[in-house]
Amino acid sequence: MANDGSCATQLIDGDGEFNVAGLDNFIKNVNLASCGLSYAVVAIMGPQSSGKSTLMNHLFHTSFREMDAFRGRSQTTKGIWIAKCVGIEPTTIAMDLEGTDGRERGEDDTAFEKQSALFALAVSDIVLINMWCHDIGREQAANKPLLKTVFQVMMRLFSPRKTTLLFVIRDKTKTPLEHLEPILREDIQKIWDSVRKPQVHQHTPLSEFFNVEVTALSSYEDKEDKFNEEVAQLRQRFFHSIAPGGLAGDRRGVVPASGFSISAQQIWKVIRENRDLDLPAHKVMVATVRCEEIANEKLNQLQSDKDWLELEEAVQLGPVRGFGEKLSSIIDASLSQYDEEAIFFEESVRNAKRKQLESKALDLVYPAYTTLLEHIHSKALNDFKTELEQSLNNGEGFASSVRTWTQTIMDGFDKGSADAAVRHANWGASKVRDKLRHDIDSHASSVRAAKLSEITTNLEKKLTNALTKPVESLFESGGKDTWLSIRALLKRETGSAISEFSASVAGFELDEETVEKMEQSLRDYARKVVENKAREEAGKILIRMKDRFSTVFNHDNDSLPRIWTGKEDIRAITRDARSASLKLLSDMAAIRLDEKPDPIGSILHSSLIDKTSASTSSQLITREASADTLASSTWEEVSPEDVLITPIQCKALWRQFLGETEYTVTQAISAQEAFKRSNNWLPPPWAIMAMVILGFNEFMMLLKNPLYLLFIFVAYLLGKAIWVQMDIAGEFRHGTLPGLLSISSRFLPTVMNLIKRLAEEAQGNQTPQESQGSASQTQIFRNQVHKPDSVSSSISNISSVGSSSNDDNEYSTTNLSQRRRTNAPQAEFS
């Protein structure tokens, strides 16, 4: 048979064998398992050769095999076939049943017809009843006996389903459908009323189990176009058939698509095992089957019981007051109904099935009970958390609050668990109670830990803020008793923090050992803050030493900048500045928080300050050879953990310090000598004496010839004028070479200016315009004279940088070696 998307598959063959592999393959091909509950099953029943397959193919675009009219009427569909309805949403499965009243099976073999019809009603949401229009009102043609049998057995064998019966009237005549439909519905209602029903369904209307729909189609052979048009209209009714208002909108008991195969197999198995729809004859077997059916029925009723469903839904939302009593009443009602219907069966079987029913009922409701206990547990724990937090916010003690609310909450839980108890079960709440107590203790412990951690963290932050900046300031100032001040600061701030901690944890009722450990932890933290800051400052010691040296060396006792006039004792000032810097190095060499004396200061002073004061190099070599106290990695009487800078590191730092501050000393010496030179213009006395002795003859010649004196006097006046005009003394303040270059570039213009001015004064009678022009030219010439030449200015600037560097704190070590070679006076200060 062709497979063009509908995947037509034989589900049950003519002998009643179920095609398990074929069904599984069909489900896989049409991807039925992923549909969930969004699928529908449509079956068709009717007489043989009535056009069922033709109708299904036109209605659902399936590919069921159709009868060949030219070969005569005979059985075409054998067994039960299924296919996917093409283009119908949601996924719809079409089921084509073997026709009834077929001559192939004969008049006596109607069991398969009944079984297939019952199977179709059991698994289908919509059942099409195919019938001829002119057979309405006839007993056999309308399948009335078959429907009567199916109605009767279905209510006892299966859980009731809401199935839609769609009667399709074929080859409609001129008689309007409005006249045919009431007759058909009346016949169906008579069949339903005549069926014997159990007591529970004695007055149940047909509409509780079936939706009856009627439609009519024109003749396929005589009016094919009209037939196709009506089939297309009917097809639209199968779109979204399971939606509210659809053909199967109010169906019940739907099996998920993934379980369709198993469900169909089990249903067919039960039908086949009851071939003639008879129950076992043996008494015990009857009692077993019937009592089990009754028990299952009551269990199913319990599952769908309105009170139970409301109670179950309420439990999902939260605790339910009187849960145990309400649930016990519901179970009692189910057991009483079982006893009434099973009273005439074997007592032992009846009691055994009753116990099974009670056990299954308790299993059914047990999840709701455990859910209720979880709600009670959750509510109790949340109440404890809320009340404890509120008590702590109100300032109440932690320990007393925990005790009070623990007792209150546990009493409330015991009351709630007793209210939830079911009479039929011996379910205890001890495990949940123990879990609640454990959760309460855990939460209390976590809150206590969080609160203590918060207190400790806040105090640690306060200690950090209170110690970091002051300690840094003390190290930077380098006072006489730096570590004494640090110890006092540490003791004061630690004591304040511990006092605040003791007051904060009083309500926790901690044991003395715990309190002592936490207080010691705060002390250790404070000490660690100081130690870390000390190590941080030790990394910047060279910068601190140079800053201290620069401050002491370049400023006097009144903190005013020094002016090197030649009267200062640079040697003493240098020693004081180095001693102050060494004091910083001594303070930073080790951590001194334990008030233990150490010889670090004296060792550094004797090894570094006194060592540089040795009178001769031989003495220096002798002392170095005798004992180098800094050639070690540890300090005497100092723990290795407290060492910040080792002796050998101190020695290296001091050597680097001397090298980087040497330039400052050299500049000071140079500035002092330059000041002396700038304020001393007379030659040395021996030069004056030599000039007197060697120039005696020239002096006598001047006395003998007064013209020479006049010439010398004029030359003196001219030289004095040039001296004043060029400010020679000011030019030489920046150095000899810049002064000579500046004077040489300005000498000739200055002389020419003087001669021109003398000439102008000699004339004495200039016109105003000439006088004004001369004055402007003189002013321009003076500006040119006083404007520094670019070369001399650059050299003067270079010289000024060198002469003013004695006031700078920052200097470059790149040219240090060159400065050492060119500045001889520095040797005695190295």
Side-chain angles (χ1 to χ4, degrees), residues 699-727:
F699 179 72
M700 294 304 296
M701 183 181 64
L702 291 176
L703 292 178
K704 293 178 181 180
N705 191 350
L707 293 177
Y708 286 153
L709 291 177
L710 179 61
F711 178 76
I712 291 172
F713 178 72
V714 172
Y716 170 75
L717 292 178
L718 183 60
K720 184 66 175 178
I722 294 174
W723 182 278
V724 174
Q725 186 72 19
M726 297 183 63
D727 190 17

Side-chain angles (χ1 to χ4, degrees), residues 61-86:
H61 299 171
T62 54
S63 57
F64 293 124
R65 182 181 177 185
E66 300 179 9
M67 183 191 71
D68 188 353
F70 295 101
R71 295 185 178 181
R73 296 184 177 273
S74 61
Q75 188 179 53
T76 303
T77 303
K78 295 183 179 181
I80 300 175
W81 288 74
I82 60 173
K84 179 182 179 183
C85 300
V86 180

Side-chain angles (χ1 to χ4, degrees), residues 308 311 315 318-329 331 362 365-377 411-430 432:
W308 157 243
L311 185 62
V315 167
V320 177
R321 186 178 299 277
F323 173 85
E325 186 62 32
K326 294 178 181 178
L327 188 56
S328 298
S329 300
I331 295 176
L362 292 176
V365 302
Y366 184 72
Y369 173 77
T370 57
T371 301
L372 178 63
L373 289 183
E374 290 176 0
H375 285 310
I376 298 174
H377 168 274
D411 292 344
F413 176 83
D414 293 338
K415 184 177 180 180
S417 60
D419 181 71
V422 180
R423 292 195 303 269
H424 306 83
N426 189 22
W427 297 331
S430 58
V432 181

